[in-house]
């Protein structure tokens, strides 16, 4: 794609107007951890002149890994934006974490981008989770290309990896995934590994040599021409198959030489439309060099093949009341509609919101309307307020470079939006809008925490509120029965980073404690109980006697109270007191300290004293009667059971079903979901799936996902309930 064409609006070869959507490209990098995404971003920045040869920005700081947590962990844990310029176009490169625990950051990047670049390591292969994301992009028609990295590795195999990518991503049309360039290998070293020092352009039949550290162009040698022929024919057929000109294939098969400019134009159109997915290659720049192998070719593909924001359909919008609104267009003069795709905190600036503008123009110091995002169940309240926009900037490493405005299609950082959270919509205050939310994974790993000290306890609530405001994939729960504060996370690494941020950013130290499942107690059979509370201590005494009968009820019935007292044995005014005492004791439990449920308590008889009986005395007598009945009956512990829906590739169905059975689960059905995925439904006790988010990832090689819904409480096996009773007695 080294020859310039102008087949599409904003394509290279026709310089787009600066500050216009046609001059913008938004591309997200997708790939597993260690595939080389961050290194590739730095290589693109170096090739475009955005950083110097040492990989430093103007203030001397590093372009990547500037976050302290990322630096310590040697792993990307958050979405980052790196803008570069190439041939008159501004490219917003969104680097995403590759680890599954931070898939929320990846989904935010997908929302903000108009095309995806899948990064695959030539040494490691294609991860199952990467295939899942590819399918999600395909479902929404997002244009995609692939870049194979780590070609310098000893075990790298470009041809073999290309075939793997065709199998993994080609689906029913593997010829829609083909390389645009072939690696040019040098002389093998002592270890037998031949270094890659150039690329052979299949369409132009030109060689781009990077061996000197600078990209040079030459004609192929006689030895290189046969290497080109077969791959070039395959590529041309793949491009022609996607061409809008239906005569091209017949002309090509008839022996006509198709003009290279025509092929490049059709290639760009097919890439932008999302029907053809070119494969490119990349390798780091040698020490002191400015251009890494494949970086120029990749920048050309992004600017000329990937769509402009104006070519992509914007998310749907409604009024804040749900009323319909016309579809958005990527017009700087249109109504303002922007979305917060990431929220972070800076110790000096405060809250910073990364915003994608879909329509209109966002300017500093103007008042906008912030509309909520419907994630109240995760601790994110709905918003419907006006806020003043602070300074606009674009990030570059630790720097924030000021912007005068952000037009439709662009991304910008907005300072001091104190109420806006990730997923919120920014719109004109006199014409508020609400964007349809993007899909967010549901956190399934519970982490119970408590303040480390009294000083931390005072700051905990504020720190947690700010933490969940930044991350919509995290859910905060204050459990009413266990009285635990629980952070629901996507995995262990997600939880570790959250707690580290809580400590480092907000000065709150917490300890993790064992997550408690909300157990219940119930009577296994009918039992009588007598409560006698009689005290005489000189002066006014206490006198209350009541007799009850307790019987079990079906699951979900709760606690029922019935009055069958005759003859006024318990005065009318004290019957509510007995019920109050019974319910208070039921909430505390009667065996192992868990709330009592699913019983009917019937008040049968009792005695009162004309002077010494009181509300407090009969409350105490009611509680004593319930405890007495419990001592004469078998008490069952009830555990919560969830309906678990596990979506996995077909190859993992057997291991997953076996694992669920080992967790005392009951598989209730399976159903096909797509071409090669199965949905397994099972009923599993909550006590057995506390770490299922972690275990399923290991079991399915990162390709499985699950959800759970509370079904009911049911009796726990005697051997398990016995252990819990022993623990309760020892603790008492």
């Amino acid at each position: 794609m080294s020859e310039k064409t102008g087949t599409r609006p904003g394509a290279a070869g026709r310089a787009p107007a600066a500050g216009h959507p046609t001059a913008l490209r938004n591309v997200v990098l997708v790939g597993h951890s260690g595939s080389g995404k961050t290194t590739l971003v730095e290589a693109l920045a170096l090739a475009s002149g955005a950083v110097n040869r040492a990989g430093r920005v103007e203030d001397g700081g590093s372009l990547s890994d500037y976050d302290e947590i990322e630096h310590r962990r040697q792993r990307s844990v958050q979405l980052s934006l790196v803008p570069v310029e190439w041939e008159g176009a501004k490219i917003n490169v969104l680097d995403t974490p590759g680890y599954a625990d931070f898939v929320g950051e990846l989904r935010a990047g997908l929302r903000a981008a108009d095309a995806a670049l899948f990064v695959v390591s030539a040494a490691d292969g294609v991860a199952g989770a990467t295939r899942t994301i590819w399918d999600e992009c395909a479902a929404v028609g997002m244009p995609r290309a692939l870049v194979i990295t780590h070609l310098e590795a000893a075990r790298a195999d470009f041809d073999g990896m290309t075939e793997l990518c065709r199998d993994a991503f080609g689906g029913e049309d593997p010829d829609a995934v083909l390389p645009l360039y072939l690696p040019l290998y040098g002389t093998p070293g002592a270890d037998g590994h031949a270094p890659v020092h150039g690329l052979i352009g299949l369409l132009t039949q030109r060689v781009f040599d990077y061996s000197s550290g600078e990209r040079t162009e030459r004609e192929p040698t006689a030895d290189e021409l046969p290497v080109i022929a077969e791959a070039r024919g395959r590529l041309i057929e793949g491009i022609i198959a996607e061409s809008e000109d239906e005569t091209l294939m017949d002309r090509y098969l008839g022996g006509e030489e198709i003009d290279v400019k025509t092929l490049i134009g059709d290639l760009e159109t097919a890439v932008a439309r999302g029907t053809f997915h070119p494969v490119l290659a990349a390798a780091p720049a040698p020490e002191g060099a400015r251009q890494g192998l494949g970086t120029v070719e990749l920048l050309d593909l992004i600017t000329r093949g990937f769509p402009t924001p104006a070519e992509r359909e914007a998310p749907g919008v409604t009024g804040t009341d749900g009323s319909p609104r016309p579809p958005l267009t990527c017009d700087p003069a249109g109504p303002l509609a922007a979305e917060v795709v990431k929220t972070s905190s800076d110790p000096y600036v405060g809250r910073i919101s990364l915003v994608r503008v879909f329509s209109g123009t966002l300017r500093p110091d103007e008042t906008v309307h912030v509309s909520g995002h419907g994630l109240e169940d995760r601790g994110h309240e709905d918003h419907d307020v006006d806020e003043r926009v602070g300074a606009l900037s674009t990030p570059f490493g630790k720097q924030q470079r000021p912007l005068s405005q952000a037009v439709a299609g662009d991304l910008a950082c907005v300072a001091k939006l104190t109420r806006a959270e990730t997923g919120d919509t920014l719109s004109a205050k006199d014409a508020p809008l609400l964007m349809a939310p993007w899909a967010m994974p549901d956190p399934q790993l519970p982490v119970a925490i408590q303040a480390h000290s009294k000083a931390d306890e005072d700051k905990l609530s504020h720190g947690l509120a700010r933490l969940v405001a930044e991350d919509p994939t995290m859910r905060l729960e204050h459990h009413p029965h266990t009285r635990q504060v629980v952070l629901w996370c996507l995995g262990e690494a997600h939880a570790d980073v959250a707690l580290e941020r809580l400590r480092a950013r907000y000065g709150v130290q917490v300890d993790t404690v064992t997550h408690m499942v909300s157990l219940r107690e119930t009577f296994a059979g009918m039992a009588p109980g007598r409560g006698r509370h009689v005290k005489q201590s000189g002066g006014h005494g206490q006198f209350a006697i009541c007799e009850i009968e307790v019987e079990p009820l079906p699951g979900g019935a709760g606690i029922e109270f019935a009055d069958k007292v005759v003859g006024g044995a318990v005065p009318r005014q004290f019957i509510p007191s007995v019920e109050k005492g019974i319910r208070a004791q039921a909430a505390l439990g009667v065996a192992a300290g868990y709330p009592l449920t699913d019983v009917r308590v019937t008040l049968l008889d009792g005695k009162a004293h004309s002077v010494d009986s009181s509300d407090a005395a009969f409350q105490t007598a009611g509680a004593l009667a319930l405890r007495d009945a419990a001592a004469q009956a078998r008490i069952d512990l009830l555990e919560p059971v969830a309906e678990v829906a596990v979506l996995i590739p077909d190859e993992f169905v057997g291991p997953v079903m076996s694992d669920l059975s080992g967790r005392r689960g009951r598989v209730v059905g399976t159903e096909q979901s797509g071409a090669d995925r199965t949905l397994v439904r099972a009923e599993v006790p909550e006590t057995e799936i506390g770490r299922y988010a972690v275990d399923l990832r290991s079991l399915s090689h990162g390709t499985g996902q699950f959800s759970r819904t509370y079904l009911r409480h049911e009796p726990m096996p005697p051997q398990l309930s016995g252990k819990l009773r022993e623990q309760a007695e020892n603790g008492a």
Side-chain angles (χ1 to χ4, degrees):
M1 295 180 68
S2 61
E3 297 187 32
K4 311 303 181 191
T5 63
T7 57
R8 292 173 31 251
R14 188 189 309 169
H20 191 271
T22 55
L24 296 168
R25 304 291 186 277
N26 299 312
V27 56
V28 60
L29 270 58
V30 179
H32 66 83
S33 184
S35 60
K37 296 186 299 299
T38 300
T39 302
L40 182 60
V41 171
E42 293 177 339
L44 295 176
L46 179 62
S48 66
V51 296
N52 60 30
R53 294 192 178 192
R56 318 295 284 184
V57 296
E58 292 173 1
D59 66 351
S62 173
L63 178 62
S64 62
D65 294 334
Y66 56 87
D67 182 88
E68 290 184 10
I69 295 177
E70 291 182 316
H71 185 70
R72 283 194 295 271
R73 292 175 174 268
Q74 296 295 301
R75 174 190 292 164
S76 296
V77 300
Q78 62 182 353
L79 174 70
S80 61
L81 169 64
V82 178
V84 300
E85 293 188 2
W86 188 253
E87 295 188 345
K90 177 185 177 184
I91 305 172
N92 288 315
V93 182
L94 293 152
D95 186 13
T96 64
Y99 198 63
D101 278 19
F102 306 103
V103 68
E105 301 283 326
L106 168 60
R107 292 188 187 279
L110 291 171
R111 176 68 161 209
D114 301 306
L117 185 63
F118 281 72
V119 183
V120 180
S121 170
D124 297 331
V126 179
T130 306
R131 301 185 192 191
T132 301
I133 300 300
W134 179 278
D135 292 341
E136 291 182 12
C137 291
V140 297
M142 175 173 278
R144 287 145 284 150
L146 297 105
V147 57
I148 297 177
T149 60
H150 295 160
L151 292 176
E152 72 282 4
R155 62 181 187 277
D157 180 2
F158 179 84
D159 293 337
M161 188 52 59
T162 300
E163 288 304 311
L164 279 178
C165 289
R166 283 165 53 81
D167 292 341
F169 304 126
E172 297 180 357
D173 186 12
D175 284 340
V177 180
L178 291 169
L180 293 185
Y181 303 87
L182 296 180
L184 181 65
Y185 295 97
T187 304
D191 59 356
H193 176 64
V196 179
H197 62 75
L199 297 172
I200 303 173
L202 294 179
L203 289 182
T204 60
Q205 302 187 81
R206 303 287 293 174
V207 174
F208 306 101
D209 195 329
Y210 284 83
S211 58
S212 66
E214 296 292 332
R215 181 179 184 264
T216 59
E217 184 176 343
R218 63 173 173 82
E219 294 284 345
T221 65
D223 293 337
E224 292 164 348
L225 283 173
V227 178
I228 298 174
E230 181 180 353
R232 186 173 190 266
R234 197 177 186 184
L235 174 62
I236 290 175
E237 290 184 12
I239 293 172
I240 291 176
E242 301 298 334
S243 174
E244 296 177 348
D245 185 348
E246 297 179 356
T247 69
L248 274 186
M249 184 61 77
D250 291 336
R251 289 158 52 192
Y252 176 71
L253 294 177
E256 180 180 338
E257 184 69 26
I258 306 300
D259 182 66
V260 171
K261 289 186 178 181
T262 300
L263 292 173
I264 291 176
D266 284 345
L267 170 65
E268 292 174 356
T269 301
V271 170
R273 207 168 49 212
T275 57
F276 188 82
H277 316 292
V279 181
L280 292 89
E287 185 67 30
R290 186 175 65 83
Q291 293 172 333
L293 183 141
T295 51
V296 171
E297 289 75 15
L298 189 53
L299 288 166
D300 280 346
L301 173 71
I302 292 172
T303 53
R304 300 169 57 201
F306 280 170
T308 71
E311 296 175 82
R312 293 287 294 163
E313 184 178 343
V317 292
T318 65
T320 54
D321 58 356
S323 57
R325 290 290 186 272
L328 297 174
T329 58
C330 190
D331 181 2
L336 177 63
E339 188 171 38
V340 179
V341 294
K342 176 179 172 58
T343 309
S344 59
S345 295
D346 184 277
Y348 305 105
V349 180
R351 183 178 291 187
I352 297 177
S353 304
L354 178 61
V355 170
R356 162 73 191 258
V357 183
F358 288 97
S359 172
T361 300
L362 185 65
R363 297 179 176 84
D365 299 322
E366 69 176 342
T367 300
V368 299
H369 188 80
V370 179
S371 303
H373 40 56
L375 292 174
E376 195 170 1
D377 62 321
R378 301 191 188 183
H380 304 256
E381 63 178 6
D382 286 347
H383 298 148
D384 194 12
V385 297
D386 290 340
E387 279 206 82
R388 189 178 182 83
V389 173
L392 296 184
S393 61
T394 185
F396 205 84
K398 285 187 175 180
Q399 295 180 1
Q400 290 290 336
R401 298 174 174 176
L403 288 177
S404 60
Q405 62 181 22
V407 300
D410 206 355
L411 285 94
C413 288
V414 183
K416 298 180 180 178
L417 287 177
T418 58
R419 295 293 300 279
E421 298 181 0
T422 302
D424 281 356
T425 304
L426 309 183
S427 54
K429 64 177 183 178
D430 55 350
L433 300 172
L434 183 63
M435 284 191 180
W438 70 82
M440 279 291 177
D442 195 19
Q444 297 288 358
L445 180 68
V447 180
I449 60 174
Q450 63 184 21
H452 182 71
S453 66
K454 180 63 171 68
D456 294 311
E457 189 173 341
D458 295 338
K459 298 182 291 183
L460 181 60
S461 178
H462 178 67
L464 288 174
R466 297 186 66 180
L467 190 68
V468 298
E470 297 179 9
D471 189 353
T473 64
M474 187 176 297
R475 176 159 52 91
L476 177 62
E477 177 186 36
H478 297 271
H479 202 284
H481 296 128
T482 64
R483 293 182 172 82
Q484 285 189 317
V485 177
V486 182
L487 277 177
W488 288 84
C489 305
L490 296 176
E492 290 178 311
H494 188 210
D496 290 345
V497 168
L499 299 184
E500 193 169 348
R501 283 178 176 158
L502 198 60
R503 175 189 57 78
R505 291 185 181 177
Y506 309 122
V508 183
Q509 185 76 34
V510 298
D511 300 319
T512 58
V513 295
T514 302
H515 176 245
M516 298 170 58
V517 173
S518 182
L519 302 179
R520 299 284 189 273
E521 299 173 354
T522 194
F523 278 61
M526 185 178 294
R530 187 172 191 269
R532 183 177 185 276
H533 183 61
V534 178
K535 288 189 177 181
Q536 293 293 337
S537 56
H540 199 64
Q542 299 181 52
F543 188 97
I545 298 174
C546 62
E547 296 181 4
I548 64 171
E549 183 179 75
V550 184
E551 59 184 313
L553 293 176
I559 295 179
E560 294 182 8
F561 179 80
D563 168 26
K564 290 189 177 180
V565 175
V566 295
V570 178
R572 292 285 98 189
Q573 68 269 28
F574 294 133
I575 289 178
S577 304
V578 175
E579 180 180 1
K580 187 175 181 180
I582 288 171
R583 291 188 180 276
Q585 182 62 54
L588 297 174
V590 294
Y594 300 107
L596 180 70
T597 189
D598 299 339
V599 294
R600 177 185 291 118
V601 182
T602 304
L603 179 60
L604 300 174
D605 201 358
K607 293 182 179 180
H609 189 278
S610 59
V611 175
D612 293 340
S613 291
S614 65
D615 170 67
F618 271 99
Q619 283 191 47
T620 303
L624 291 172
L626 185 61
R627 287 159 59 182
D628 182 57
Q632 302 179 57
R634 190 183 92 233
I635 304 299
D636 285 341
L637 290 188
L638 304 177
E639 60 182 346
V641 175
E643 180 185 39
V644 176
V646 188
L647 183 63
I648 42 168
D650 293 342
E651 60 191 290
F652 298 114
V653 170
V656 164
M657 292 176 67
S658 177
D659 178 73
L660 290 171
S661 297
R663 298 172 186 270
R664 298 189 286 123
R666 297 182 293 274
V667 176
V668 296
T670 61
E671 57 189 76
Q672 203 65 28
S673 179
D676 57 354
R677 296 177 76 82
T678 298
L679 186 67
V680 178
R681 297 187 183 277
E683 296 178 359
V684 191
E686 286 276 7
T687 53
E688 300 288 345
I689 54 173
R691 289 179 49 81
Y692 192 57
V694 177
D695 298 337
L696 176 63
R697 184 174 300 160
S698 175
L699 190 65
S700 64
H701 299 176
T703 60
Q705 51 187 293
F706 83 105
S707 62
R708 56 179 157 195
T709 305
Y710 169 77
L711 280 179
R712 60 184 176 272
H713 274 73
E714 63 181 35
M716 180 181 283
Q719 65 272 23
L720 296 180
S721 61
K723 290 180 181 179
L724 291 176
R725 283 197 183 90
E726 288 179 12
Q727 293 173 5
E729 291 171 1
N730 294 335

